């Protein structure tokens, strides 16, 4: 009996980010590759499976760049809706094969300052999944409120940030929005110090009910859009496992009308900024 053929070696892709927010993929592939494509497939929200619709697939031509190398470019001008996009390569008219990450250079992303003139901010960060495959995390925020600095005190949190794709007007404010299940939650309005595109506000912990609170910005006051605060303009695709309590954001212990609590900020799975307020035993 003929032994089964060994599985094909995974195709490896090097990724380089540019200062405009685009990505270049260099795929190692030898021999006759034919009309090769790099394919990005967006996953369904909350699952690890591709959505499968035409709007959830982006195909980029892979052109010879050097001996044994194929190159595809994903410029910032190509729309990539928000989500997680799994990367594949199709060569020699075969089936698309999952890519694994090679050398990744994202220094330009960490130094990037978008103009916001297009009314939105597009961010794409390649990363390795738990299975070792290559996926691109994409954000498309219009407008965008970027968290620049967090200052933690014993009784609250000061947030400094910058808006893109809009401007701050008199009446601009920050909001704390309680997630479902947070007792006596609702929406808390916070005063905002604003200068051109930069803003700052302070969240006092003393009045917050235990639960999870999401931070939003109202750059045009009640008449304008609500913008989720996030930290996107760097090279970290998932901040939640990297910036964690208590090492990065030590939690404060305060007394509230709801009893003693422990409170502090954290980044969600989508790199949005939130607060966790946890009751303590009296």
């Amino acid at each position: 009996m003929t032994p089964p053929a060994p599985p094909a070696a995974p195709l490896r892709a090097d990724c380089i980010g540019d200062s405009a927010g685009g990505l270049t993929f260099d795929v190692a592939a030898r021999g006759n590759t034919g009309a090769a494509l790099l394919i990005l497939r967006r996953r369904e929200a909350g699952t690890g499976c591709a959505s499968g619709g035409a709007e959830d697939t982006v195909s980029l031509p892979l052109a010879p760049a050097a001996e044994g190398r194929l190159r595809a470019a994903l410029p910032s001008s190509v729309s990539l809706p928000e989500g997680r996009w799994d990367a594949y390569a199709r060569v020699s008219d075969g089936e698309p094969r999952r890519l694994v990450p090679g050398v990744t250079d994202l220094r330009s992303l960490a130094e990037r300052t978008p103009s916001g003139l297009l009314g939105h901010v597009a961010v794409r960060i390649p990363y390795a999944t738990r299975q070792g495959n290559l996926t691109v995390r994409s954000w498309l925020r219009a407008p965008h409120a970027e968290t620049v600095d967090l200052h933690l005190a014993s009784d609250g949190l000061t947030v400094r940030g910058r808006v893109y794709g809009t401007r701050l007007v008199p009446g601009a404010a920050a909001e704390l929005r309680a997630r479902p299940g947070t007792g006596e939650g609702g929406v808390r309005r916070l005063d905002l110090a604003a200068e051109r595109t930069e803003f700052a506000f302070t969240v006092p912990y003393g009045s917050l009910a235990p639960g999870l609170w999401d931070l939003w910005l109202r750059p045009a006051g009640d008449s304008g859009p609500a913008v989720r605060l996030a930290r996107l303009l760097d090279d970290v695709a998932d901040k939640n496992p990297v910036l964690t309590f208590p090492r990065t954001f030590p939690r404060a212990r305060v007394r509230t009308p709801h009893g003693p609590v422990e409170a502090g900020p954290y980044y969600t799975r989508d790199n949005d900024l939130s607060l966790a307020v946890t009751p303590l035993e009296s």
Side-chain angles (χ1 to χ4, degrees):
M1 179 180 295
T2 303
L11 293 176
R12 192 170 300 275
D14 298 338
C15 296
I16 300 175
D18 63 44
S19 58
L23 293 174
T24 299
F25 302 85
D26 277 4
V27 179
R30 298 187 176 276
N32 180 15
T33 57
L37 291 174
L38 185 138
I39 301 170
L40 299 174
R41 293 176 177 167
R42 185 164 61 161
R43 298 183 198 170
E44 291 184 21
T47 76
C49 302
S51 296
E55 70 279 4
D56 295 314
T57 301
V58 172
S59 296
L60 305 168
L62 277 166
E67 180 64 29
R69 308 288 290 179
L70 299 172
R71 178 169 296 169
L74 177 65
S76 57
S77 57
V78 172
S79 177
L80 197 67
E82 189 156 327
R84 296 177 188 268
W85 296 75
D86 296 330
Y88 300 79
R90 191 182 75 187
V91 297
S92 305
D93 295 325
E95 291 294 318
R97 293 165 56 186
R98 198 73 165 87
L99 289 171
V100 299
V103 177
T104 301
D105 184 352
L106 304 179
R107 288 173 293 179
S108 295
L109 298 185
E111 300 167 357
R112 178 185 174 215
T113 304
S115 67
L117 295 178
L118 298 178
H120 67 263
V121 168
V123 178
R124 295 88 178 264
I125 304 179
Y127 70 97
T129 68
R130 293 179 180 177
Q131 293 75 33
N133 296 316
L134 177 63
T135 292
V136 176
R137 180 66 171 94
S138 174
W139 289 268
L140 188 61
R141 299 285 171 98
H144 171 54
E146 175 78 0
T147 300
V148 175
D149 179 64
L150 300 177
H151 178 73
L152 288 84
S154 60
D155 58 353
L157 170 73
T158 298
V159 181
R160 299 185 184 277
R162 184 178 294 113
V163 294
Y164 297 89
T166 189
R167 60 191 182 95
L168 297 162
V169 304
E175 287 183 347
L176 273 177
R177 297 186 180 182
R179 297 220 199 134
T182 300
E184 297 184 28
V187 178
R188 307 288 179 89
R189 182 64 62 93
L190 301 171
D191 292 335
L192 191 76
E195 183 177 354
R196 296 181 181 177
T197 61
E198 298 185 353
F199 62 86
F201 63 90
T202 297
V203 181
Y205 293 148
S207 62
L208 297 182
L212 299 178
W213 297 80
D214 297 329
L215 283 83
W216 293 74
L217 192 73
R218 302 298 295 260
D222 292 335
S223 63
V227 184
R228 188 75 164 91
L229 265 76
R231 179 149 186 168
L232 308 180
L233 300 178
D234 55 27
D235 57 355
V236 182
D238 287 300
K239 293 181 177 59
N240 185 272
V242 177
L243 303 180
T244 57
F245 298 118
R247 177 175 55 84
T248 307
F249 299 138
R251 301 180 109 180
R253 297 191 172 195
V254 296
R255 290 195 171 274
T256 75
H258 311 280
V261 302
E262 192 174 60
Y266 73 97
Y267 286 106
T268 71
R269 191 169 179 269
D270 292 320
N271 289 359
D272 296 326
L273 182 62
S274 294
L275 286 174
V277 181
T278 307
L280 296 172
E281 293 185 4
S282 302

